[in-house]
Amino acid sequence: MIRILDKDVADKIAAGEVVDRPLSIVKELVENSIDAGADSITIEIKNGGSSMIRITDNGSGMEKDFVKKAFDAFEQENEQTTTLSGGTGLGLTIAKNIVELMNGTIDLQSEKGTGTTVTITLPFEKGQAKAVVSAEKEKTLDYDFTGKRALIVE
């Protein structure tokens, strides 16, 4: 059985699916902080990470000229970092793309020898726990999946 949901309901579910994506961004940014030699990393969040995430570290930081291109694919300030961490220079690019897919912004502030702060702002508000699907809005479409194969990707 396939259920076709009302657009409003589908949008609410889609917003819920996005909730795990900020976690992957935080993981990437913390890994970058560790690769930069940080021994202090602060993670700040608002609304459970649904409206703002800020990662601040005391790692090696970046030169001002590099900060301008830090989100470009395969860019790395230091070739040695690639050798030590196995990085590809895609982490910040991917993080930026995920944030932009969620209609958010990502800001990078860094100073060589001092550290880096990355602030992510997302347009979501913490929702109330309510039933998403009501019997009146639910539409049903019968479909026989017998003998069919499906690929489900999250």
mmCIF file with all atom_site columns, all heavy atoms in Angstrom, residues 120-132:
data_model
loop_
_atom_site.group_PDB
_atom_site.id
_atom_site.type_symbol
_atom_site.label_atom_id
_atom_site.label_alt_id
_atom_site.label_comp_id
_atom_site.label_asym_id
_atom_site.label_entity_id
_atom_site.label_seq_id
_atom_site.pdbx_PDB_ins_code
_atom_site.Cartn_x
_atom_site.Cartn_y
_atom_site.Cartn_z
_atom_site.occupancy
_atom_site.B_iso_or_equiv
_atom_site.pdbx_formal_charge
_atom_site.auth_seq_id
_atom_site.auth_comp_id
_atom_site.auth_asym_id
_atom_site.auth_atom_id
_atom_site.pdbx_PDB_model_num
ATOM 1  N N   . ILE A 1 120 ? 26.695 27.852 11.631 1.00 0.00 ? 120 ILE A N   1
ATOM 2  C CA  . ILE A 1 120 ? 25.670 27.397 10.692 1.00 0.00 ? 120 ILE A CA  1
ATOM 3  C C   . ILE A 1 120 ? 24.336 27.919 11.204 1.00 0.00 ? 120 ILE A C   1
ATOM 4  O O   . ILE A 1 120 ? 23.989 27.727 12.373 1.00 0.00 ? 120 ILE A O   1
ATOM 5  C CB  . ILE A 1 120 ? 25.639 25.861 10.619 1.00 0.00 ? 120 ILE A CB  1
ATOM 6  C CG1 . ILE A 1 120 ? 26.974 25.352 10.085 1.00 0.00 ? 120 ILE A CG1 1
ATOM 7  C CG2 . ILE A 1 120 ? 24.462 25.376 9.784  1.00 0.00 ? 120 ILE A CG2 1
ATOM 8  C CD1 . ILE A 1 120 ? 27.221 23.903 10.365 1.00 0.00 ? 120 ILE A CD1 1
ATOM 9  N N   . THR A 1 121 ? 23.595 28.599 10.337 1.00 0.00 ? 121 THR A N   1
ATOM 10 C CA  . THR A 1 121 ? 22.273 29.091 10.681 1.00 0.00 ? 121 THR A CA  1
ATOM 11 C C   . THR A 1 121 ? 21.268 28.380 9.794  1.00 0.00 ? 121 THR A C   1
ATOM 12 O O   . THR A 1 121 ? 21.421 28.357 8.568  1.00 0.00 ? 121 THR A O   1
ATOM 13 C CB  . THR A 1 121 ? 22.189 30.616 10.471 1.00 0.00 ? 121 THR A CB  1
ATOM 14 O OG1 . THR A 1 121 ? 23.254 31.231 11.193 1.00 0.00 ? 121 THR A OG1 1
ATOM 15 C CG2 . THR A 1 121 ? 20.866 31.155 10.969 1.00 0.00 ? 121 THR A CG2 1
ATOM 16 N N   . LEU A 1 122 ? 20.267 27.788 10.419 1.00 0.00 ? 122 LEU A N   1
ATOM 17 C CA  . LEU A 1 122 ? 19.243 27.041 9.689  1.00 0.00 ? 122 LEU A CA  1
ATOM 18 C C   . LEU A 1 122 ? 17.874 27.677 9.937  1.00 0.00 ? 122 LEU A C   1
ATOM 19 O O   . LEU A 1 122 ? 17.629 28.214 11.012 1.00 0.00 ? 122 LEU A O   1
ATOM 20 C CB  . LEU A 1 122 ? 19.239 25.578 10.143 1.00 0.00 ? 122 LEU A CB  1
ATOM 21 C CG  . LEU A 1 122 ? 20.558 24.839 9.920  1.00 0.00 ? 122 LEU A CG  1
ATOM 22 C CD1 . LEU A 1 122 ? 20.547 23.499 10.632 1.00 0.00 ? 122 LEU A CD1 1
ATOM 23 C CD2 . LEU A 1 122 ? 20.815 24.649 8.442  1.00 0.00 ? 122 LEU A CD2 1
ATOM 24 N N   . PRO A 1 123 ? 16.972 27.573 8.957  1.00 0.00 ? 123 PRO A N   1
ATOM 25 C CA  . PRO A 1 123 ? 15.684 28.260 9.069  1.00 0.00 ? 123 PRO A CA  1
ATOM 26 C C   . PRO A 1 123 ? 14.587 27.463 9.766  1.00 0.00 ? 123 PRO A C   1
ATOM 27 O O   . PRO A 1 123 ? 13.416 27.717 9.554  1.00 0.00 ? 123 PRO A O   1
ATOM 28 C CB  . PRO A 1 123 ? 15.312 28.483 7.598  1.00 0.00 ? 123 PRO A CB  1
ATOM 29 C CG  . PRO A 1 123 ? 15.872 27.292 6.904  1.00 0.00 ? 123 PRO A CG  1
ATOM 30 C CD  . PRO A 1 123 ? 17.172 26.997 7.633  1.00 0.00 ? 123 PRO A CD  1
ATOM 31 N N   . PHE A 1 124 ? 14.944 26.504 10.604 1.00 0.00 ? 124 PHE A N   1
ATOM 32 C CA  . PHE A 1 124 ? 13.936 25.663 11.231 1.00 0.00 ? 124 PHE A CA  1
ATOM 33 C C   . PHE A 1 124 ? 13.670 26.123 12.648 1.00 0.00 ? 124 PHE A C   1
ATOM 34 O O   . PHE A 1 124 ? 14.546 26.612 13.334 1.00 0.00 ? 124 PHE A O   1
ATOM 35 C CB  . PHE A 1 124 ? 14.380 24.199 11.253 1.00 0.00 ? 124 PHE A CB  1
ATOM 36 C CG  . PHE A 1 124 ? 14.732 23.675 9.894  1.00 0.00 ? 124 PHE A CG  1
ATOM 37 C CD1 . PHE A 1 124 ? 16.028 23.267 9.614  1.00 0.00 ? 124 PHE A CD1 1
ATOM 38 C CD2 . PHE A 1 124 ? 13.778 23.594 8.899  1.00 0.00 ? 124 PHE A CD2 1
ATOM 39 C CE1 . PHE A 1 124 ? 16.353 22.792 8.365  1.00 0.00 ? 124 PHE A CE1 1
ATOM 40 C CE2 . PHE A 1 124 ? 14.096 23.129 7.647  1.00 0.00 ? 124 PHE A CE2 1
ATOM 41 C CZ  . PHE A 1 124 ? 15.386 22.718 7.378  1.00 0.00 ? 124 PHE A CZ  1
ATOM 42 N N   . GLU A 1 125 ? 12.449 25.924 13.085 1.00 0.00 ? 125 GLU A N   1
ATOM 43 C CA  . GLU A 1 125 ? 12.092 26.167 14.471 1.00 0.00 ? 125 GLU A CA  1
ATOM 44 C C   . GLU A 1 125 ? 11.722 24.837 15.089 1.00 0.00 ? 125 GLU A C   1
ATOM 45 O O   . GLU A 1 125 ? 11.217 23.954 14.412 1.00 0.00 ? 125 GLU A O   1
ATOM 46 C CB  . GLU A 1 125 ? 10.898 27.116 14.551 1.00 0.00 ? 125 GLU A CB  1
ATOM 47 C CG  . GLU A 1 125 ? 11.211 28.516 14.063 1.00 0.00 ? 125 GLU A CG  1
ATOM 48 C CD  . GLU A 1 125 ? 10.022 29.441 14.178 1.00 0.00 ? 125 GLU A CD  1
ATOM 49 O OE1 . GLU A 1 125 ? 9.101  29.132 14.965 1.00 0.00 ? 125 GLU A OE1 1
ATOM 50 O OE2 . GLU A 1 125 ? 10.015 30.459 13.484 1.00 0.00 ? 125 GLU A OE2 1
ATOM 51 N N   . LYS A 1 126 ? 11.977 24.714 16.371 1.00 0.00 ? 126 LYS A N   1
ATOM 52 C CA  . LYS A 1 126 ? 11.617 23.487 17.059 1.00 0.00 ? 126 LYS A CA  1
ATOM 53 C C   . LYS A 1 126 ? 10.107 23.348 17.055 1.00 0.00 ? 126 LYS A C   1
ATOM 54 O O   . LYS A 1 126 ? 9.385  24.257 17.457 1.00 0.00 ? 126 LYS A O   1
ATOM 55 C CB  . LYS A 1 126 ? 12.160 23.498 18.485 1.00 0.00 ? 126 LYS A CB  1
ATOM 56 C CG  . LYS A 1 126 ? 12.123 22.157 19.144 1.00 0.00 ? 126 LYS A CG  1
ATOM 57 C CD  . LYS A 1 126 ? 12.916 22.173 20.425 1.00 0.00 ? 126 LYS A CD  1
ATOM 58 C CE  . LYS A 1 126 ? 12.988 20.783 21.003 1.00 0.00 ? 126 LYS A CE  1
ATOM 59 N NZ  . LYS A 1 126 ? 13.838 20.734 22.170 1.00 0.00 ? 126 LYS A NZ  1
ATOM 60 N N   . GLY A 1 127 ? 9.627  22.226 16.555 1.00 0.00 ? 127 GLY A N   1
ATOM 61 C CA  . GLY A 1 127 ? 8.188  22.015 16.420 1.00 0.00 ? 127 GLY A CA  1
ATOM 62 C C   . GLY A 1 127 ? 7.570  21.421 17.670 1.00 0.00 ? 127 GLY A C   1
ATOM 63 O O   . GLY A 1 127 ? 8.249  21.015 18.598 1.00 0.00 ? 127 GLY A O   1
ATOM 64 N N   . GLN A 1 128 ? 6.266  21.383 17.682 1.00 0.00 ? 128 GLN A N   1
ATOM 65 C CA  . GLN A 1 128 ? 5.514  20.768 18.761 1.00 0.00 ? 128 GLN A CA  1
ATOM 66 C C   . GLN A 1 128 ? 5.216  19.323 18.386 1.00 0.00 ? 128 GLN A C   1
ATOM 67 O O   . GLN A 1 128 ? 5.035  19.014 17.217 1.00 0.00 ? 128 GLN A O   1
ATOM 68 C CB  . GLN A 1 128 ? 4.194  21.522 18.978 1.00 0.00 ? 128 GLN A CB  1
ATOM 69 C CG  . GLN A 1 128 ? 4.389  22.979 19.358 1.00 0.00 ? 128 GLN A CG  1
ATOM 70 C CD  . GLN A 1 128 ? 5.040  23.117 20.718 1.00 0.00 ? 128 GLN A CD  1
ATOM 71 O OE1 . GLN A 1 128 ? 4.739  22.367 21.638 1.00 0.00 ? 128 GLN A OE1 1
ATOM 72 N NE2 . GLN A 1 128 ? 5.949  24.068 20.845 1.00 0.00 ? 128 GLN A NE2 1
ATOM 73 N N   . ALA A 1 129 ? 5.165  18.470 19.363 1.00 0.00 ? 129 ALA A N   1
ATOM 74 C CA  . ALA A 1 129 ? 4.837  17.069 19.106 1.00 0.00 ? 129 ALA A CA  1
ATOM 75 C C   . ALA A 1 129 ? 3.345  16.969 18.832 1.00 0.00 ? 129 ALA A C   1
ATOM 76 O O   . ALA A 1 129 ? 2.528  17.108 19.717 1.00 0.00 ? 129 ALA A O   1
ATOM 77 C CB  . ALA A 1 129 ? 5.224  16.202 20.298 1.00 0.00 ? 129 ALA A CB  1
ATOM 78 N N   . LYS A 1 130 ? 3.003  16.782 17.578 1.00 0.00 ? 130 LYS A N   1
ATOM 79 C CA  . LYS A 1 130 ? 1.606  16.654 17.162 1.00 0.00 ? 130 LYS A CA  1
ATOM 80 C C   . LYS A 1 130 ? 1.499  15.497 16.190 1.00 0.00 ? 130 LYS A C   1
ATOM 81 O O   . LYS A 1 130 ? 2.457  15.158 15.512 1.00 0.00 ? 130 LYS A O   1
ATOM 82 C CB  . LYS A 1 130 ? 1.125  17.927 16.451 1.00 0.00 ? 130 LYS A CB  1
ATOM 83 C CG  . LYS A 1 130 ? 1.048  19.147 17.331 1.00 0.00 ? 130 LYS A CG  1
ATOM 84 C CD  . LYS A 1 130 ? 0.549  20.322 16.519 1.00 0.00 ? 130 LYS A CD  1
ATOM 85 C CE  . LYS A 1 130 ? 0.500  21.574 17.376 1.00 0.00 ? 130 LYS A CE  1
ATOM 86 N NZ  . LYS A 1 130 ? 0.101  22.741 16.611 1.00 0.00 ? 130 LYS A NZ  1
ATOM 87 N N   . ALA A 1 131 ? 0.335  14.945 16.093 1.00 0.00 ? 131 ALA A N   1
ATOM 88 C CA  . ALA A 1 131 ? 0.102  13.911 15.089 1.00 0.00 ? 131 ALA A CA  1
ATOM 89 C C   . ALA A 1 131 ? 0.200  14.562 13.722 1.00 0.00 ? 131 ALA A C   1
ATOM 90 O O   . ALA A 1 131 ? -0.389 15.595 13.474 1.00 0.00 ? 131 ALA A O   1
ATOM 91 C CB  . ALA A 1 131 ? -1.267 13.283 15.283 1.00 0.00 ? 131 ALA A CB  1
ATOM 92 N N   . VAL A 1 132 ? 0.985  13.964 12.838 1.00 0.00 ? 132 VAL A N   1
ATOM 93 C CA  . VAL A 1 132 ? 1.220  14.578 11.540 1.00 0.00 ? 132 VAL A CA  1
ATOM 94 C C   . VAL A 1 132 ? 0.154  14.191 10.534 1.00 0.00 ? 132 VAL A C   1
ATOM 95 O O   . VAL A 1 132 ? -0.220 14.976 9.693  1.00 0.00 ? 132 VAL A O   1
ATOM 96 C CB  . VAL A 1 132 ? 2.603  14.157 10.990 1.00 0.00 ? 132 VAL A CB  1
ATOM 97 C CG1 . VAL A 1 132 ? 3.008  15.054 9.859  1.00 0.00 ? 132 VAL A CG1 1
ATOM 98 C CG2 . VAL A 1 132 ? 3.648  14.169 12.056 1.00 0.00 ? 132 VAL A CG2 1
#
